[in-house]
Amino acid sequence: MTVTVLVPDEEGVAALSEIEGVRPVVYRRGESVPAEAAQAEVLVTGDQPSEELWRELPNVKLVQLLVAGAEDWVGKVPDGVLLSTCRGAHGGSSAEWVVAVLLTIYRGLDGFADHHRRKHWERRITDTLQGKKALIIGAGDLGRHLRRRLETFDVRCTMVGTTAREGVHGVGELPELLPEHDITVLMVPLTPHTRGLVDAGFLAAMPDDAILVNVSRGPVVVTDALVAELASGRLRAALDVTDPEPLPDGHPLWEVPGLLLTPHVAGAVSGRRQRAYAVAVRELSHYMSGELPKNLVHGEY
């Protein structure tokens, strides 16, 4: 039996051709629909869903995402259609970004870069990442990648998940955990339970001079509450995502002190497409063998 799988580019065709029984066909949104689309059983995509999608692809039984976040698709997939994420492809690059911003903040690298531009030579003592305590909210693939990297810098890591288990605290313990950590990193999916998780009360529980790092989704943080804390100078932050996004001109996050800001690029590194297709190949191999994909979304995530 041959299964038609729609992919967004020729790289996808090359990657999925190695799976026996799979016929990959390029399908790009906004372009002419290939004749094979009506019989396609699997859609591999990094796009967002649209109303016309299901009319063009009436026989799709599995949507395999090339991104880790499924919030744009949850609740928009027809009954009976499976949804699988690309969990495992981007954890390393996201963890690398967190380490990079923490080193930049603690070692004052942005200040030294400014001195370089001004041809100003000034030695000074900085803080260090060594010995800090990091609270990692999100104990999945991203969180595990980050913990492994931070521990090489002698950072003491505490993991937090939805529910408590061995080596992982439950989210209900956050009020007691937040005051004890120098760094709090957000690595959670956007769901109704995580939207607005970081509100004024959450931020108030963090100790003075602590750093909030958001590498998940912007709406996990209540922006106005974070702006107020940063404006006071009590907390610092590093954000790869914001709410709203893109950040509009004149938004206070552009000017607020104590913030290191990047435009949603933590996973935007060389080789990201190859790593995403490697996960897609693994997931589709399970599917072709009659098994369920390992990254299947259940309910909210």
Side-chain angles (χ1 to χ4, degrees), residues 3-285:
V3 173
T4 299
V5 178
L6 301 179
V7 296
D9 50 39
E10 294 297 337
E11 190 172 358
V13 171
L16 271 63
S17 292
E18 67 182 68
I19 307 175
E20 185 177 354
V22 165
R23 178 177 62 167
V25 175
V26 173
Y27 167 81
R28 296 188 179 96
R29 300 272 290 278
E31 298 184 6
S32 58
V33 180
E36 298 90 342
Q39 286 75 44
E41 188 171 325
V42 180
L43 170 66
V44 178
T45 181
D47 293 333
Q48 296 182 359
S50 63
E51 291 183 4
E52 68 272 12
L53 180 67
W54 310 117
R55 293 195 296 269
E56 295 177 354
L57 312 178
N59 288 307
V60 163
K61 297 180 176 60
L62 167 66
V63 175
Q64 173 60 52
L65 301 180
L66 293 173
V67 296
E71 67 272 8
D72 292 328
W73 288 82
V74 171
K76 299 177 183 178
V77 176
D79 291 342
V81 175
L82 302 174
L83 178 64
S84 178
T85 72
C86 206
R87 184 177 69 247
H90 310 299
S93 53
S94 296
E96 182 180 77
W97 178 89
V98 174
V99 173
V101 297
L102 289 174
L103 287 172
T104 297
I105 293 170
Y106 281 125
R107 297 307 304 267
L109 299 182
D110 51 347
F112 287 121
D114 180 62
H115 288 177
H116 181 188
R117 286 189 292 270
R118 295 190 288 112
K119 300 180 175 63
H120 176 68
W121 186 276
E122 179 185 340
R123 296 185 67 200
R124 60 187 175 88
I125 296 174
T126 69
D127 202 344
T128 177
L129 188 53
Q130 299 170 87
K132 294 296 189 291
K133 293 188 290 185
L135 186 64
I136 302 173
I137 304 177
D141 176 67
L142 272 67
R144 290 191 294 270
H145 272 283
L146 179 59
R147 179 176 189 167
R148 179 163 58 86
R149 286 160 173 79
L150 285 180
E151 287 180 340
T152 65
F153 288 88
D154 296 326
V155 175
R156 290 170 286 174
C157 297
T158 302
M159 307 296 290
V160 175
T162 304
T163 57
R165 53 190 184 273
E166 184 177 357
V168 178
H169 294 266
V171 70
E173 300 175 67
L174 282 175
E176 294 77 36
L177 293 170
L178 285 166
E180 303 300 322
H181 290 81
D182 309 290
I183 304 159
T184 294
V185 184
L186 305 172
M187 305 189 92
V188 296
L190 180 61
T191 71
H193 294 293
T194 62
R195 183 180 293 272
L197 171 69
V198 182
D199 56 12
F202 181 110
L203 295 168
M206 295 175 64
D208 291 353
D209 210 32
I211 299 173
L212 177 75
V213 182
N214 189 4
V215 70
S216 55
R217 291 292 185 267
V220 173
V221 177
V222 178
T223 301
D224 290 346
L226 178 60
V227 167
E229 285 283 10
L230 294 176
S232 74
R234 197 183 73 82
L235 297 180
R236 294 174 289 175
L239 305 178
D240 186 52
V241 290
T242 60
D243 183 25
E245 188 178 307
L247 202 61
D249 291 343
H251 195 281
L253 281 177
W254 286 118
E255 302 291 340
V256 74
L259 175 63
L260 196 164
L261 179 67
T262 60
H264 206 150
V265 295
V269 298
S270 59
R272 65 189 183 280
R273 203 67 164 179
Q274 295 95 313
R275 285 186 285 273
Y277 276 123
V279 173
V281 167
R282 185 190 69 204
E283 294 292 273
L284 287 177
S285 296

